[in-house]
Amino acid sequence: MITFFTDPHIGLKRTANTTPISRAKLRDHIAMTAFDVVSNASGKVVCLGDLFDNYSNTEDIILTGRSIASMCDIVLGGNHDVTQDATKTGSLELVAKTINTTATQIVLPRFNEVVVSSHYYEEDNCVLVSVPHHSTQGLFEDALASSISYPTEFQECTSILLLHCNYESPHELTETSLNLSEGQAEQLLSRFDYILLGHEHNPRDLFDGRLIIVGNTHPTSFSDISDKRILQFEDGEMRSQWIWREAEMAISCPATDVPEGDISPVQFLEVEGEVEHGQLAFIAKSISSLWRSNPQLLAVKSSVKVTGMQEAVRRKADTRSLPQLIEEELAENRDQLDMWHEALRNG
């Protein structure tokens, strides 16, 4: 069996929607989830990137990451393990230098180089081709082109391509953001049985389950709350094992009906809706009470809006007419201001 997981982000620090105590708990939950995954796995274990949340970390976080990495067979370098300064040494590279590399293969990004690595596991009749994060999209595409030649040696086994990148990103990407397009995926799937992606935190299955966006092992904030899983490959089949369920661990409630008392096992709570201004203090007290009653809470987000506030803001913004706005804009340019006055007179 081979177990795949990704993006544990060891050492994560989030201040938004947390308390000092809960953000420490969030960091610990993230680390313990990853530790549980690797310590309970049977057979080989593979991390698809972003073992750490930051390129450089304190000694205690590096030791935690090293402990987890030492129980993995392959660890890919992710975008959080890359820097544009080739003279620096990051935490993952430091871990790689201190681990018995015959047992753990850390596939590090290398500045301005193409990196592709392959590992054949006879007991699983499987070849894994690993492409870590690259410093540019161009280098990444060169690595993808190179990866296609790797499975030819192992025609009778299952071939799995491991990547750390976006898939069909709808956002404008920077030079250092990596993206796998649908066309590239289709071409790669003509040679590989599966493509597994790290980097994106919310899981998806595409191409009839052959392109799998694994998703991270634990939410890092409200932006990536979703069911969390690991993948297990055994007897030629890939299956999901769900390890964190949104329906149980994250809820939202209307501002007019904030729950009271023990709401365990909920870790993430969002309060939504519109209220009168006079109700804000009561809602704040209710949220504060929830924090005290629920030590398992990791984050509480208030998305409450005050009734009529947006309209009041609009009215305040619209008190000046368009001519007044133009006149204020031209106030420091006498020639243009005179021309504007002339245009008004002739209008």
Side-chain angles (χ1 to χ4, degrees), residues 28 43 54 81 186 193 291 303:
D28 292 345
N54 296 295
D81 303 305
E186 189 171 6
D193 295 298
W291 277 117
S303 301

Side-chain angles (χ1 to χ4, degrees), residues 4 12 39 106 254 304:
F4 301 92
L12 175 104
S39 60
I106 297 183
V304 177

Side-chain angles (χ1 to χ4, degrees), residues 184-220:
Q184 289 170 324
E186 189 171 6
Q187 180 184 13
L188 290 165
L189 286 170
S190 68
R191 300 298 299 274
F192 290 94
D193 295 298
Y194 293 97
I195 301 174
L196 308 186
L197 265 64
H199 180 60
E200 294 190 19
H201 287 191
N202 296 319
R204 287 186 288 163
D205 293 353
L206 304 159
F207 288 91
D208 295 323
R210 294 181 61 208
L211 171 60
I212 304 176
I213 299 171
V214 182
N216 61 343
T217 49
H218 192 284
T220 62

Side-chain angles (χ1 to χ4, degrees), residues 137-253:
Q137 178 72 17
L139 288 171
F140 175 62
E141 292 182 0
D142 289 344
L144 294 181
S146 178
S147 72
I148 290 178
S149 65
Y150 275 75
T152 56
E153 307 168 33
F154 308 103
Q155 293 292 337
E156 301 304 318
C157 71
T158 302
S159 57
I160 303 174
L161 178 62
L162 311 178
L163 305 177
H164 190 92
C165 62
N166 297 289
Y167 176 73
E168 278 290 315
S169 176
H171 307 295
E172 185 175 348
L173 300 174
T174 65
E175 184 183 6
T176 57
S177 299
L178 306 185
N179 183 63
L180 178 72
S181 69
E182 182 179 5
Q184 289 170 324
E186 189 171 6
Q187 180 184 13
L188 290 165
L189 286 170
S190 68
R191 300 298 299 274
F192 290 94
D193 295 298
Y194 293 97
I195 301 174
L196 308 186
L197 265 64
H199 180 60
E200 294 190 19
H201 287 191
N202 296 319
R204 287 186 288 163
D205 293 353
L206 304 159
F207 288 91
D208 295 323
R210 294 181 61 208
L211 171 60
I212 304 176
I213 299 171
V214 182
N216 61 343
T217 49
H218 192 284
T220 62
S221 68
F222 283 91
S223 66
D224 62 354
I225 288 179
S226 59
D227 289 346
K228 304 301 179 186
R229 66 177 170 185
I230 58 176
L231 297 179
Q232 294 175 326
F233 176 78
E234 188 175 25
D235 298 329
E237 294 187 2
M238 193 78 70
R239 62 177 181 270
S240 297
Q241 179 181 334
W242 299 96
I243 60 175
W244 194 93
R245 287 294 193 179
E246 178 181 358
E248 300 173 0
M249 310 300 282
I251 64 172
S252 60
C253 67

Side-chain angles (χ1 to χ4, degrees), residues 327 334 336-346:
E327 184 149 340
R334 174 54 58 183
Q336 291 186 13
L337 185 61
D338 289 341
M339 290 175 63
W340 170 245
H341 288 158
E342 182 68 18
L344 288 177
R345 286 194 295 271
N346 294 334

Side-chain angles (χ1 to χ4, degrees), residues 36-57:
D36 288 345
V37 167
V38 297
S39 60
N40 293 325
S42 300
K44 306 295 184 183
V45 184
V46 178
C47 175
L48 275 69
D50 285 350
L51 177 68
F52 294 106
D53 188 59
N54 296 295
Y55 179 73
S56 297
N57 296 275

